[in-house]
Amino acid sequence: MEITGAQALIESLKKEGVEVIFGYPGGTVLPIYDVLYNEKAIRHILTRHEQGAAHAADGYARVTGKVGVCLATSGPGATNLTTGIATAYMDSIPLVAITGQVPTALIGRDSFQEADVTGITQPITKHNYLVKTAEDIPRVIKEAFHIARSGRPGPVVVDIAKDAQVKKFKFKYPDKIDLPGYKPTLKGHPRQIKAAAKMISLSKRPVIYAGGGILSANAAKELLAFAEKLNIPVTTTMMGLGAFPDTHSLALHMLGMHGTAYANYAVQECDLLIAVGARFDDRVTGHLPTFAPKAKHIHIDIDPAEIGKNVRADVPIVGDAKQTLKDLLEKVKSAGGTEKGKHEAWLKQIEEWKNKYPLTYKKEKSLKPQYIVEMINEITKGRAIICTEVGQNQMWAAQYFKYDNPRSFVSSGGLGTMGYGFPAAIGAQIGRPDAIVFDIAGDGSIQMNMQEMTTAVNNKLPIKIVVLNNCFLGMVRQWQELLYDKRYSATNLCNNPDLVKVARAYGAEAMRITKPEEVKKALLEALKIKDRPVLLDFVVHKEENVFPFVPPGQAINEMLID
Amino acid sequence: MRHTISVIVENKPGVLHRVSGLFSRRGFNIESLAVGTTDKPNVSRMTIVVEGDEQTLEQIIKQLYKQIDVLRVFDLPHAESFERELALIKVHANEKTRPEITQIAEICSARIVDVADDSLMIEISAEKEKVENIQKLLDKFGIQELVRTGKIALQRGSNS
Ligand SMILES: Cc1ncc(C[n+]2csc(CCOP(=O)(O)OP(=O)(O)O)c2C)c(N)n1
């Protein structure tokens, strides 16, 4: 039977197991929306901005591990997706973004709502396609999902000309993929694994530095087994939060610019750094030449280009984190490197640092943002999905909630996109209807995608939006305070609207909290609301800073503690 | 260090943009780039001359491999490769200078491919240095126009 390109697209998405699409219609995707009109197997979530759709698909992907899908029209629809695509690209999130394109006969003529979408998204996608014939749709969708989810995951854009959506052809979904130029290496090289095992056996002060790659490889269990068996402390990047239980005695928590003092000290003093699924980002390493100066490096990553990009590895291992950690542990075990009591002195040193430099803040009478995050942790017993915006709110959310579970921290790490958290929370709540989902936000960031409140209300999503309202673009203000002589240029948000009223206007629940003693009650109240979002406007201490803080360009042990 | 790399790509739309875009956004310096089809109709070969140390070269090769349409990448060691550039040089000539120019062309194994009243066009296919050499020799007669291809190269022997 012959079907249209648009029908073929939806059939192909179903073959890939797609259950939800986040999107926004327009002229060049009308044929696709027409098919969605009576489609039962795929739910379409109408956002209020294409950026919201991209972030929602990304949030959905992060919490479920599935490929997120978003859909937008040509021109402005597609360009509105780009911030979301770039966000997913920087954090290696599997996403398929489908865009309509003007009919092939009009391409290249500056037609109405034409934009060179493959050109624009080329540097921010793992791969992209311009589809000009209906017959290509099944193959391209098959490839797009394969590329998005395998190897180092990432976003793929599929730009489909309108005439290709309309044309009829005989649909058949391919069962094989033919991509001769794309063959990710999953299994680490035995010789390198052997060399790494030897290095681990000889090490006296090892540290595991785990990144988001652990989560994309679903390797948290393997990491835990590896660390416990070999008695090696673990620090995670922000992207790696949840990859190793924060409440574990071997946890050093986050490292880097706003990492714990003990994590940074441990990295600077270690004799072996085992990087797994992490990419030595400048927010992690600080001044690169002084990073982990005493350490040999084992670098495990599925992306060969990450190895040696910023830091030279003594033992590079290209492979999937899950498989490689298993293989490596086996190798160390068979070499007899697992006696209990190993690294006793090292762990004692770390314990001392932990006691001497705990993560802490000045507890004052005023309402402290850190306290709010601590209370969220307490009342949810650490079992919630925490989405964040960007800035101080993000760092406090990273520092003061205890992440024990993979895929429970959802935040824009690489791109640092303000306005990410709320739409991502929408995607997260749709992907995990059972979970308690928070968006920890700043009063600046929340206004960047506030329009999605409608999406949350319409879909009865009980997201808890916690605004740490400091009337400032707090993180920028902090830099201005510490590095620009308190010249608060363009960071004062004292003319914000009343966020409680705004939320209510959208049909959400809202409360304002001004005192520490009201925090717990308000949060418990919020947890009771199951059928709509609730915005909690916490009027917090205005000029609170995030500590530790490693000023840019400094070594990570040269941090300001308070 | 200057490196010559061969990039074998699938002949898909946008592949040149992908490769050149990668160089510019990662800050790798392209000195020259030549593209053309190969014996297989769906496969093209790009020959790219880049400037960079060993670590940069390694990154370039790895980043190129990340492109889905890139099939193979190899660094062509200067000593083991056969390298060519093509140049067309239109040089000012009159009765007096024509013999001298013809002689230079001959010595440099170049060919005269077009003769006009006041100019000669010379074609040379050679290694970069030789192309630059003839250019220098012809300079004094007044070069009117000049076009050079990027370098193309193949590894000698059977293993490329
Ligand atoms: C889209 C975007 N624009 C600008 C920035 C730069 N930026 C980083 S943090 C920050 C301030 C965030 O303020 P707010 O959301 O109020 O959070 P706070 O730091 O006060 O918790 C800004 C402007 C950014 N990260 N993203």
Side-chain angles (χ1 to χ4, degrees):
Chain A
M1 203 187 73
E2 297 214 324
I3 59 173
T4 65
Q7 286 170 320
L9 169 69
I10 300 303
E11 286 312 307
S12 303
L13 294 179
K14 284 198 261 181
K15 296 274 188 204
E16 291 300 327
V18 175
E19 291 163 358
V20 195
I21 297 176
F22 301 89
Y24 206 94
T28 60
V29 285
L30 276 166
I32 301 171
Y33 273 90
D34 194 56
V35 179
L36 285 173
Y37 190 58
N38 37 21
E39 174 54 55
K40 297 273 174 339
I42 295 182
R43 180 175 172 201
H44 177 269
I45 306 287
L46 175 66
T47 58
R48 285 299 183 276
H49 189 301
E50 289 87 352
Q51 186 187 353
H55 290 326
D58 166 315
Y60 175 89
R62 291 192 203 219
V63 303
T64 61
K66 298 179 196 165
V67 179
V69 181
C70 57
L71 171 62
T73 193
S74 64
T79 54
N80 272 350
L81 288 181
T82 50
T83 301
I85 295 168
T87 302
Y89 182 68
M90 290 295 275
D91 290 344
S92 307
I93 303 305
L95 191 75
V96 170
I98 298 160
T99 50
Q101 181 54 279
V102 300
T104 42
L106 295 181
I107 290 179
R109 301 169 178 234
D110 303 316
S111 309
F112 178 64
Q113 295 196 327
E114 181 186 2
D116 174 9
V117 171
T118 45
I120 289 169
T121 61
Q122 189 242 305
I124 54 167
T125 49
K126 188 170 170 187
H127 196 53
N128 63 21
Y129 293 90
L130 170 59
V131 182
K132 291 179 174 174
T133 49
E135 288 82 352
D136 282 343
I137 290 174
R139 173 185 59 81
V140 166
I141 293 298
K142 175 112 183 164
E143 289 178 6
F145 276 79
H146 175 65
I147 291 168
R149 68 161 80 92
S150 61
R152 178 181 185 170
V156 178
V157 165
V158 181
D159 193 30
I160 311 177
K162 191 174 183 180
D163 48 326
Q165 299 170 27
V166 177
K167 196 190 156 198
K168 287 194 166 178
F169 72 108
K170 203 158 170 300
F171 174 77
K172 184 179 175 297
Y173 203 60
D175 32 45
K176 273 211 222 70
I177 286 170
D178 180 28
L179 289 169
Y182 180 68
K183 302 247 155 33
T185 306
L186 300 179
K187 212 165 153 49
H189 196 289
R191 197 181 57 228
Q192 300 296 61
I193 292 197
K194 204 170 146 198
K198 183 157 172 228
M199 216 171 245
I200 292 169
S201 310
L202 293 175
S203 163
K204 298 212 154 40
R205 303 187 311 276
V207 167
I208 297 167
Y209 150 47
I214 299 284
L215 299 169
S216 27
N218 294 316
K221 249 209 274 162
E222 288 71 17
L223 175 64
L224 183 64
F226 186 88
E228 282 185 338
K229 272 277 174 325
L230 305 180
N231 221 17
I232 302 177
V234 182
T235 179
T236 71
T237 65
M238 192 185 83
M239 293 312 299
L241 289 175
F244 189 79
D246 269 342
T247 54
H248 197 285
S249 61
L250 286 170
L252 294 168
H253 310 113
M254 187 169 80
L255 81 165
M257 182 175 272
H258 294 297
T260 60
Y262 44 91
N264 288 352
Y265 288 146
V267 167
Q268 293 303 78
E269 287 303 317
C270 71
D271 67 355
L272 175 65
L273 191 69
I274 308 167
V276 196
R279 59 185 177 85
F280 296 87
D281 179 80
D282 54 276
R283 286 296 190 263
V284 161
T285 63
H287 183 55
L288 197 56
T290 56
F291 179 71
K294 303 175 181 170
K296 287 215 160 28
H297 290 256
I298 296 172
H299 193 174
I300 302 170
D301 206 289
I302 194 149
D303 179 359
E306 280 309 336
I307 298 176
K309 185 181 80 180
N310 294 337
V311 164
R312 209 184 62 81
D314 297 286
V315 181
I317 306 179
V318 178
D320 168 71
K322 193 183 184 85
Q323 184 65 43
T324 308
L325 282 173
K326 256 198 254 173
D327 294 349
L328 186 54
L329 178 58
E330 276 314 306
K331 198 83 210 162
V332 185
K333 272 198 210 157
S334 65
T338 57
E339 327 89 81
K340 268 277 168 229
K342 240 190 152 203
H343 320 130
E344 203 94 296
W346 175 230
L347 292 174
K348 205 168 136 244
Q349 166 71 74
I350 286 172
E351 212 42 50
E352 267 167 37
W353 284 326
K354 280 190 179 178
N355 291 329
K356 200 157 165 207
Y357 309 105
L359 189 63
T360 184
Y361 60 96
K362 283 200 199 77
K363 292 174 179 113
E364 290 161 305
K365 278 224 182 65
S366 54
L367 181 52
K368 288 299 187 89
Q370 300 93 327
Y371 173 73
I372 297 162
V373 178
E374 283 179 332
M375 289 313 287
I376 295 172
N377 185 55
E378 188 184 310
I379 63 156
T380 62
K381 300 185 183 66
R383 280 195 290 272
I385 290 173
I386 305 292
C387 305
T388 82
E389 301 294 341
V390 168
Q392 294 181 315
N393 59 85
Q394 179 181 34
M395 293 305 135
W396 288 318
Q399 292 175 330
Y400 288 93
F401 191 90
K402 299 288 161 246
Y403 299 92
D404 277 350
N405 303 303
R407 300 188 181 280
S408 59
F409 179 73
V410 177
S411 188
S412 168
L415 201 66
T417 309
M418 287 172 70
Y420 167 80
F422 182 39
I426 290 175
Q429 187 75 79
I430 284 171
R432 289 280 312 276
D434 58 305
I436 299 171
V437 176
F438 276 84
D439 175 36
I440 296 185
D443 45 315
S445 300
I446 193 62
Q447 295 184 71
M448 282 212 176
N449 273 315
M450 192 59 146
Q451 78 285 347
E452 298 310 330
M453 196 63 96
T454 314
T455 316
V457 169
N458 287 349
N459 289 283
K460 301 190 165 45
L461 304 177
I463 298 164
K464 284 89 184 113
I465 303 139
V466 168
V467 182
L468 305 176
N469 194 336
N470 51 16
C471 291
F472 271 113
L473 294 171
M475 186 57 96
V476 182
R477 186 210 55 74
Q478 173 170 344
W479 283 47
Q480 289 171 334
E481 178 188 330
L482 301 173
L483 309 169
Y484 288 84
D485 210 14
K486 289 202 180 186
R487 289 159 58 83
Y488 293 163
S489 180
T491 44
N492 194 314
L493 298 185
C494 61
N495 47 7
N496 269 335
D498 180 334
L499 293 175
V500 168
K501 279 191 190 154
V502 172
R504 284 191 186 139
Y506 278 106
E509 198 58 57
M511 322 173 201
R512 174 162 299 118
I513 302 95
T514 55
K515 298 193 196 81
E517 55 275 20
E518 299 167 351
V519 173
K520 191 167 180 180
K521 192 167 151 272
L523 287 170
L524 288 170
E525 195 97 345
L527 284 187
K528 281 191 215 137
I529 300 167
K530 306 279 188 211
D531 60 349
R532 59 195 183 286
V534 45
L535 184 145
L536 299 139
D537 187 22
F538 289 98
V539 180
V540 298
H541 195 92
K542 279 193 168 47
E543 299 192 29
E544 187 68 13
N545 287 334
V546 180
F547 290 116
F549 173 47
V550 179
Q554 303 277 75
I556 58 166
N557 52 341
E558 288 167 16
M559 63 205 114
L560 308 175
I561 306 257
D562 57 27
Chain B
M1 257 284 275
R2 184 178 286 137
H3 302 273
T4 306
I5 49 183
S6 235
V7 189
I8 312 294
V9 300
E10 283 201 82
N11 229 340
K12 297 252 175 87
V15 64
L16 179 61
H17 181 212
R18 282 180 208 288
V19 170
S20 60
L22 170 72
F23 276 79
S24 65
R25 74 172 176 275
R26 297 239 172 225
F28 304 141
N29 290 322
I30 294 193
E31 197 163 289
S32 75
L33 187 157
V35 204
T37 49
T38 63
D39 51 318
K40 297 186 194 73
N42 55 339
V43 173
S44 287
R45 179 190 286 261
M46 298 183 184
T47 309
I48 307 178
V49 180
V50 293
E51 191 54 55
D53 55 19
E54 286 303 315
Q55 204 194 335
T56 310
L57 178 72
E58 183 188 317
Q59 259 301 300
I60 290 174
I61 292 175
K62 286 173 164 181
Q63 292 294 346
L64 281 167
Y65 265 120
K66 278 178 75 166
Q67 296 296 323
I68 310 286
D69 296 336
V70 169
L71 300 172
R72 280 185 70 195
V73 185
F74 35 95
D75 178 20
L76 293 172
H78 186 65
E80 295 164 33
S81 326
F82 191 79
E83 304 179 342
R84 277 294 175 267
E85 243 184 69
L86 177 72
L88 297 175
I89 307 167
K90 197 191 283 175
V91 63
H92 197 79
N94 54 34
E95 259 133 70
K96 249 176 55 210
T97 57
R98 203 168 281 136
E100 196 181 341
I101 295 172
T102 313
Q103 205 177 10
I104 289 173
E106 220 163 85
I107 292 167
C108 295
S109 313
R111 296 199 303 148
I112 310 248
V113 290
D114 188 51
V115 183
D117 279 349
D118 60 348
S119 71
L120 287 172
M121 195 191 295
I122 293 164
E123 176 203 305
I124 179 163
S125 152
E127 285 171 9
K128 182 185 162 76
E129 293 69 29
K130 288 195 177 151
V131 174
E132 274 160 10
N133 187 41
I134 192 169
Q135 193 178 326
K136 230 186 280 156
L137 291 171
L138 294 174
D139 216 23
K140 66 172 179 196
F141 304 104
I143 292 177
Q144 293 178 341
E145 271 185 289
L146 182 146
V147 60
R148 278 167 73 172
T149 64
K151 185 205 280 184
I152 56 168
L154 277 185
Q155 193 151 352
R156 293 172 198 270
S158 55
N159 57 342
S160 109

